[in-house]
Amino acid sequence: MPAGASSSSALILPLTAEHAAQVLAIYQAGIDEGNATFETTAPSWEAFDAAKLTEHRFAALDQDGAVLGWVAATKVSDRCAYAGVVEHSVYVHPAARGRGIASALLKALINSTEAAGIWTIQSGIFPENTASLAVHKRAGFRVIGTRERIGRHYGTWRDVLLIERRSSRIV
């Protein structure tokens, strides 16, 4: 979905500093639920902004301009062989889930990355996060492996499923 397009319940636009407070609050809500990330607190806007690729980050807004969710990508490596590979995160406000927001955000990300010649989008998802796994599967992602006991989260070893989407347009 190109920037400026809308899903049935949200307008998808480039994510900017104007959205910072709401984006970080949604990120923290996902962190607090315990199955979204190993992170324990959302970063500052400055750290978030510096880490995310400007051309591959989007916010979903309702008709009043409130942020319903966001998606953003980061480079996986500075090595030229990995120039076409990014890692992404997608988060939706708890009250906005089940409305197709994550799907619309993933579509915007897929369109922007393919337009830029990126051939692989990857991420790691806790196996317990079945809703995220389902929305990613519908968007063309597949599980390519399990990183068993890859990290400790609040004192418990956690597995992470490595997922990826390969572009069929970029070969």
Side-chain angles (χ1 to χ4, degrees):
M1 177 173 299
S6 62
S7 74
S8 60
S9 59
L11 180 64
I12 308 299
L13 296 171
L15 190 158
T16 66
E18 174 186 342
H19 309 119
Q22 294 178 79
V23 163
L24 296 178
I26 291 168
Y27 194 6
Q28 188 63 52
I31 290 169
D32 292 344
E33 289 175 338
N35 283 323
T37 179
F38 282 106
E39 300 299 330
T40 56
T41 58
S44 67
W45 173 251
E46 293 74 23
F48 181 98
D49 186 45
K52 308 302 183 198
L53 298 169
T54 305
E55 63 276 21
H56 305 299
R57 60 186 190 188
F58 300 93
L61 280 61
D62 71 9
Q63 66 275 10
D64 298 320
V67 177
L68 302 172
W70 59 270
V71 66
T74 59
K75 294 188 333 182
V76 298
S77 176
D78 285 329
R79 295 173 64 193
C80 61
Y82 296 101
V85 183
V86 295
E87 185 165 350
H88 83 289
S89 297
V90 59
Y91 285 79
V92 175
H93 190 287
R97 293 183 187 152
R99 295 173 30 194
I101 304 301
S103 293
L105 288 165
L106 286 171
K107 187 172 182 180
L109 177 67
I110 290 165
N111 287 343
S112 75
T113 55
E114 286 190 339
I118 293 170
W119 57 83
T120 301
I121 305 170
Q122 69 181 34
S123 192
I125 299 177
F126 291 137
E128 298 83 1
N129 196 342
T130 56
S132 184
L133 289 167
V135 75
H136 280 88
K137 183 176 181 179
R138 288 191 303 272
F141 287 79
R142 64 188 178 104
V143 174
I144 60 169
T146 301
R147 302 183 78 191
E148 295 177 354
R149 297 172 46 92
I150 193 66
R152 292 174 66 87
H153 187 237
Y154 295 111
T156 301
W157 287 102
R158 300 287 301 263
D159 293 349
V160 170
L161 300 178
L162 183 58
I163 64 165
E164 74 173 17
R165 182 190 182 280
R166 293 284 181 105
S167 173
S168 60
R169 293 178 25 201
I170 301 166
V171 291

